[in-house]
Amino acid sequence: MPSRPKREEYGEYFAYYVEQVPEGELTAVLAKQLAQTVEMYAGLTEAQAEYRYAPGKWTVKEVLGHLIDTERIMSYRLLRIARGDQTPLVGFDENAYVAQAFFQKRDLADLLEEYQAVRQSTRALLRGVAEEAWTRTGTANGNKLSARTLAYVIAGHEAHHCRILRERYSL
């Protein structure tokens, strides 16, 4: 499993997310996040999942959908970089993705099942990355970053949004 990436392995944009990851073995962090996120969402009603803390902000369901989409994209980037693909990878507009996904029309239980499947897939991917591949670098959204940076970004991105869910959505 990857150790924490060195600062020269990623651009400023990704620093915040890497910093959100607590010390410890990354697979354990990802497993703990999985359990905590499932617990946070599992007790919600559909009405609670439709809550948004301010006009124009995402609903609780949309945040979960955003976590799913982003983890898929970051895992794909990690796979390509770990395999030595040097093709520059484009960015994505998370607001456009959420707007086109219609997460509010899906049952929360269905979204939660998809989240769990995506996280399990990410964990399986990480187990299969060769040791020498973790420090390979590529370009995503105009930023240089290593494969192991992307693994940390996945965990840090979720930590960021779960903190927002607790603070602004009172979950």
Side-chain angles (χ1 to χ4, degrees):
M1 273 302 110
S3 57
R4 187 172 292 276
K6 295 178 180 159
R7 185 58 188 89
E8 62 268 13
E9 292 178 42
Y10 53 91
E12 188 59 38
Y13 177 81
F14 296 104
Y16 171 79
Y17 293 115
V18 172
E19 291 165 3
Q20 300 308 301
V21 181
E23 292 300 324
E25 206 274 319
L26 187 60
T27 54
V29 170
L30 292 169
K32 184 176 181 180
Q33 282 182 334
L34 173 61
Q36 290 173 333
T37 300
V38 167
E39 182 180 344
M40 181 186 302
Y41 275 92
L44 299 177
T45 66
E46 287 294 325
Q48 290 170 316
E50 290 295 329
Y51 174 74
R52 63 181 86 235
Y53 70 89
K57 296 299 182 180
W58 293 339
T59 66
V60 173
K61 269 190 200 178
E62 288 170 331
V63 173
L64 182 58
H66 169 68
L67 289 174
I68 293 166
D69 283 353
T70 301
E71 185 155 336
R72 274 198 172 110
I73 291 166
M74 296 302 163
S75 292
Y76 173 71
R77 290 174 174 179
L78 188 156
L79 172 69
R80 294 208 31 197
I81 291 171
R83 299 298 193 256
D85 189 338
Q86 290 296 300
T87 307
L89 303 169
V90 298
F92 71 104
D93 180 343
E94 65 273 6
N95 290 306
Y97 271 51
V98 168
Q100 294 301 315
F102 301 102
F103 295 121
Q104 69 275 14
K105 293 184 178 184
R106 293 180 58 191
D107 291 335
L108 179 58
D110 184 51
L111 280 170
L112 198 52
E113 182 180 329
E114 183 179 358
Y115 161 77
Q116 291 174 82
V118 168
R119 177 50 59 97
Q120 294 294 21
S121 177
T122 297
R123 293 176 68 214
L125 171 64
L126 298 184
R127 287 192 301 271
V129 173
E131 188 62 37
E132 62 273 12
W134 286 116
T135 55
R136 286 185 185 138
T137 60
T139 304
N141 199 24
N143 295 284
K144 175 190 162 195
L145 69 165
S146 66
R148 69 180 170 183
T149 296
L150 284 160
Y152 274 75
V153 166
I154 290 167
H157 179 259
E158 183 158 331
H160 163 74
H161 281 288
C162 285
R163 188 182 74 253
I164 289 173
L165 286 166
R166 287 188 301 277
E167 292 173 359
R168 297 183 189 166
Y169 294 79
S170 300
L171 295 188

